[in-house]
């Protein structure tokens, strides 16, 4: 059985936390896109962990974790992340971690390119893309230019190293144009020798592995990084990631394009948050923003950047649910709204005096104004609630209203960051 867990909003919905919870029923957890720009915070009985490249299933002893072919892997970062988790008592071996031979390697010069371009944009336009500066956009661009190294090549270094001089010469044309020091071939050899070697035993044909696992009746979960609105096609371009974050891409990015997803669970936040630049129609400013940001602890897990916040956005969330083909929703961080006597929901956008309810094309988003409606809050601590009956009436009303407005069932409600802090609604 194949299940996908994906983000409905702008990311940071609590996907890592929900994968950590739901993975108890799964044999395999697989990341299928993105790189170490992800930041999933997971808190469980083993401690607090921040995961950038590793699937959140790595925190369970009996789950096999896969880094799929749709990913871009910074091998230095991966080695450091593995070491950091091992220090925290997590077991990581080729038995429970498998890396696709077809996954692309993020290079140090991709990280440099990302920084050079964000800085150029800042100077030239004052409007950088809000990149995490970890080389993700440049390495995906190189992938489509077919000028990358893939993980499987690390198993055959002689052949791999022969390709270095030409790729480096080509990349240096760009680096020099930005006025930076060119990269040397030896630095690249050194990168592969230092970090690639440590990862050799983990590299396999993960598509074959996943097909076998599926045949044996194993339960496989696909874990997305980032939300629907950061998808390279469907998101708020160019303020998106550079990969497909949507569930329909999961079988491809995992390496099993022949298999179909049985269930898509969308992770949706009870309010809105958005890290970095780009249109964010429902945004709160001033004191209103500070209050919600502090209550939700909205600071980036990967970068520490303060996240922009706002109330729940029906227009964007309905679009996100459609993009993800979500069968059911896990609503997260409902407890953050405990502080309000009265809650706002963004139910529509206003564009040039017209009310719109469908998410518009990106270029007009900047001119859209939010339409807020008020509902009663519960204004009490719900973090100890474990059953629907435990929740106050106003909280249940809020959940049911979101279900109605978004046209999707809410199955799970999370009321705290800890593994057990959740309610199953039906
Ligand atoms: P992800 O990138 O989608 O995995 O989400 P992040 O980890 O970046 O952001 C979610 C943050 O909210 C993390 O710090 C979690 O520990 C925390 N969190 C997740 N679910 C809940 C919840 O239900 N309530 C509260 N208060 N915090 C939560
Ligand atoms: Mg995150």
């Amino acid at each position: 059985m194949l299940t996908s867990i994906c983000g409905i909003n702008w990311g940071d919905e609590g996907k890592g936390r929900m994968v950590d919870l739901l993975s108890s029923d799964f044999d395999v957890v697989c990341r299928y896109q993105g790189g170490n720009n992800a930041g999933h915070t997971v808190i469980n009985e083993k401690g607090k962990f921040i995961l950038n490249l590793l699937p959140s299933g790595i925190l369970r002893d009996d789950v096999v974790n896969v880094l799929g072919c749709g990913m871009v892997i910074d091998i230095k970062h991966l080695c450091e992340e593995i070491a950091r988790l091992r220090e925290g008592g997590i077991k990581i071996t080729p038995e429970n971690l498998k890396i696709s031979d077809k996954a692309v390697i993020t290079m140090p010069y991709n990280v440099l390119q990302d920084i050079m371009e964000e800085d150029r944009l800042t100077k030239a336009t004052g409007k950088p893309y809000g990149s995490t500066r970890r080389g993700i956009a440049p390495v995906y661009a190189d992938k489509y230019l077919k000028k990358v190294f893939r993980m499987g090549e690390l198993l055959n270094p002689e052949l791999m190293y022969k390709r270095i001089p030409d790729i480096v010469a080509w990349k240096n044309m760009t680096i020099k144009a930005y006025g930076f020091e060119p990269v040397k071939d030896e630095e690249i050899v050194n990168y592969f020798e230092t970090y690639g070697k440590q990862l050799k035993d983990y590299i396999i044909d993960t598509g074959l592995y996943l097909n076998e696992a599926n045949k044996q009746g194993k339960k496989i979960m696909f874990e997305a990084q980032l939300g629907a609105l950061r998808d390279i096609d469907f998101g708020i371009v160019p303020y998106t990631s550079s990969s497909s974050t949507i569930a329909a891409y999961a079988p491809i990015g995992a390496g099993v394009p022949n298999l179909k997803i049985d269930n898509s669970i969308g992770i949706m936040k009870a309010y809105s948050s958005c890290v970095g630049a780009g249109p964010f129609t429902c945004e709160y400013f001033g004191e209103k923003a500070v209050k919600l940001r502090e209550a939700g602890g909205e600071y980036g897990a990967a970068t520490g950047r303060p996240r922009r916040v706002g109330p729940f956005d029906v227009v964007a969330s309905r679009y996100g649910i459609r993009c993800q083909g979500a069968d059911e929703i896990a609503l997260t961080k409902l407890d953050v709204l405990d502080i309000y006597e009265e809650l706002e929901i963004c139910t529509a956008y206003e564009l040039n005096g017209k009310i719109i309810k469908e998410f518009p094309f990106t270029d007009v988003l900047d001119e859209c104004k939010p339409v807020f409606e008020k509902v009663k809050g519960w204004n009490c601590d719900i973090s100890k609630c474990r059953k629907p009956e435990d929740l106050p009436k106003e909280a249940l009303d809020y959940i049911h209203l979101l279900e109605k407005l978004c046209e999707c069932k809410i199955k799970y409600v999370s009321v705290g960051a800890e593994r057990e802090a959740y309610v199953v609604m039906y």
Side-chain angles (χ1 to χ4, degrees):
M1 205 204 44
L2 274 67
T3 299
S4 80
I5 300 242
C6 45
I8 296 300
N9 312 115
W10 294 264
D12 303 320
E13 297 93 346
K15 293 175 294 295
R17 178 250 186 285
M18 288 313 293
V19 172
D20 175 63
L21 168 68
L22 299 173
S23 58
S24 67
D25 292 337
F26 285 81
D27 304 295
V28 183
V29 177
C30 181
R31 274 270 312 264
Y32 60 87
Q33 46 77 227
N36 55 320
N37 50 338
H40 303 313
T41 306
V42 179
I43 303 171
N44 58 32
E45 81 285 352
K46 291 181 177 158
K48 178 175 174 177
F49 302 93
I50 293 177
L51 302 168
N52 301 128
L53 278 162
L54 293 167
S56 306
I58 200 77
L59 304 175
R60 290 198 184 266
D61 298 336
D62 42 2
V63 170
V64 176
N65 295 272
V66 173
L67 302 183
C69 62
M71 287 189 73
V72 288
I73 301 178
D74 180 322
I75 52 178
K76 175 171 188 277
H77 195 103
L78 182 57
C79 289
E80 289 166 359
E81 191 170 328
I82 291 173
R84 182 159 52 76
L85 283 177
R86 281 195 182 131
E87 272 169 36
I90 305 301
K91 175 200 77 168
I92 301 175
T93 70
E95 287 302 302
N96 73 336
L97 177 65
K98 312 212 180 270
I99 305 173
S100 168
D101 52 1
K102 297 175 191 68
V104 167
I105 303 175
T106 307
M107 303 294 291
Y109 52 69
N110 293 134
V111 179
L112 175 63
Q113 270 186 288
D114 207 355
I115 295 168
M116 292 188 309
E117 178 55 14
E118 283 290 283
D119 287 348
R120 186 197 68 81
L121 270 177
T122 308
K123 264 199 212 133
T125 67
K127 276 189 156 184
Y129 284 1
S131 158
T132 50
R133 296 172 176 246
R134 291 187 171 183
I136 309 299
V139 69
Y140 272 113
D142 287 0
K143 170 175 168 169
Y144 285 96
L145 289 168
K146 299 163 290 180
K147 291 195 191 292
V148 284
F149 300 97
R150 301 200 289 172
M151 292 301 292
E153 291 183 73
L154 290 166
L155 303 177
N156 209 345
E158 276 102 89
L159 277 182
M160 185 188 207
Y161 293 178
K162 278 192 196 148
R163 300 179 49 232
I164 293 176
D166 184 57
I167 292 199
V168 165
W170 167 75
K171 187 56 71 180
N172 277 336
M173 295 197 286
T174 305
I175 295 174
K176 282 189 220 152
Y178 278 94
F180 276 70
E181 275 295 298
V183 176
K184 295 191 184 68
D185 293 359
E186 305 85 81
E187 294 169 46
I188 304 305
V189 174
N190 198 22
Y191 179 64
F192 292 145
E193 286 285 317
T194 312
Y195 303 106
K197 278 206 169 143
Q198 296 182 44
L199 299 169
K200 269 185 174 166
D201 295 343
Y202 300 86
I203 300 166
I204 61 163
D205 179 347
T206 53
L208 197 59
Y209 170 79
L210 288 170
N211 264 298
E212 276 305 312
N214 185 56
K215 262 189 221 153
Q216 290 165 19
K218 297 225 166 105
K219 291 171 91 179
I220 300 169
M221 180 195 282
F222 299 126
E223 174 186 13
Q225 166 241 4
L226 294 171
L229 296 161
R230 300 294 188 185
D231 181 83
I232 183 74
D233 291 301
F234 301 100
I236 46 171
V237 179
Y239 305 100
T240 59
S241 197
S242 300
S243 59
S244 291
T245 63
I246 59 164
Y249 180 75
I252 297 172
V256 286
N258 54 315
L259 301 180
K260 288 190 181 63
I261 291 172
D262 298 292
N263 188 27
S264 169
I265 304 177
I267 313 298
M268 183 167 92
K269 207 155 169 160
Y271 56 94
S272 302
S273 75
C274 169
V275 75
F280 184 45
T281 309
C282 65
E283 184 166 11
Y284 274 168
F285 298 96
E287 272 174 35
K288 261 176 145 179
V290 172
K291 184 175 170 182
L292 184 52
R293 181 180 306 120
E294 291 305 314
E298 295 298 345
Y299 295 89
T303 57
R305 288 186 287 185
R307 294 174 184 151
R308 298 155 75 196
V309 292
F312 185 82
D313 183 328
V314 177
V315 182
S317 299
R318 275 183 51 221
Y319 175 71
I321 288 172
R322 171 151 61 87
C323 290
Q324 297 292 16
D327 299 303
E328 51 196 19
I329 294 292
L331 187 70
T332 55
K333 304 195 85 164
L334 190 65
D335 57 298
V336 172
L337 302 180
D338 288 356
I339 53 169
Y340 293 101
E341 273 173 37
E342 195 173 50
L343 289 164
E344 284 183 322
I345 298 180
C346 174
T347 52
Y349 298 164
E350 193 194 310
L351 179 64
N352 303 325
K354 265 179 69 186
I355 295 293
I356 49 174
K357 298 220 165 187
E358 296 298 343
F359 197 70
F361 188 70
T362 323
D363 62 350
V364 299
L365 269 177
D366 276 331
E367 284 129 65
C368 286
K369 304 266 175 304
V371 176
F372 293 138
E373 286 184 38
K374 288 187 182 356
V375 293
K376 239 181 140 226
W378 45 96
N379 203 208
C380 63
D381 179 10
I382 60 165
S383 65
K384 307 280 176 312
C385 297
R386 295 292 177 266
K387 300 192 288 297
E389 313 79 277
D390 299 343
L391 288 165
K393 179 182 176 298
E394 293 80 4
L396 286 170
D397 287 348
Y398 185 75
I399 295 166
H400 293 142
L401 180 64
L402 299 195
E403 278 187 326
K404 197 173 126 213
L405 293 170
C406 295
E407 297 165 54
C408 194
K409 289 298 256 181
I410 295 175
K411 175 149 188 191
Y412 306 94
V413 174
S414 149
V415 292
E418 306 74 28
R419 190 182 266 173
E420 70 286 357
Y422 70 102
V423 176
V424 182
M425 296 303 292
Y426 59 90

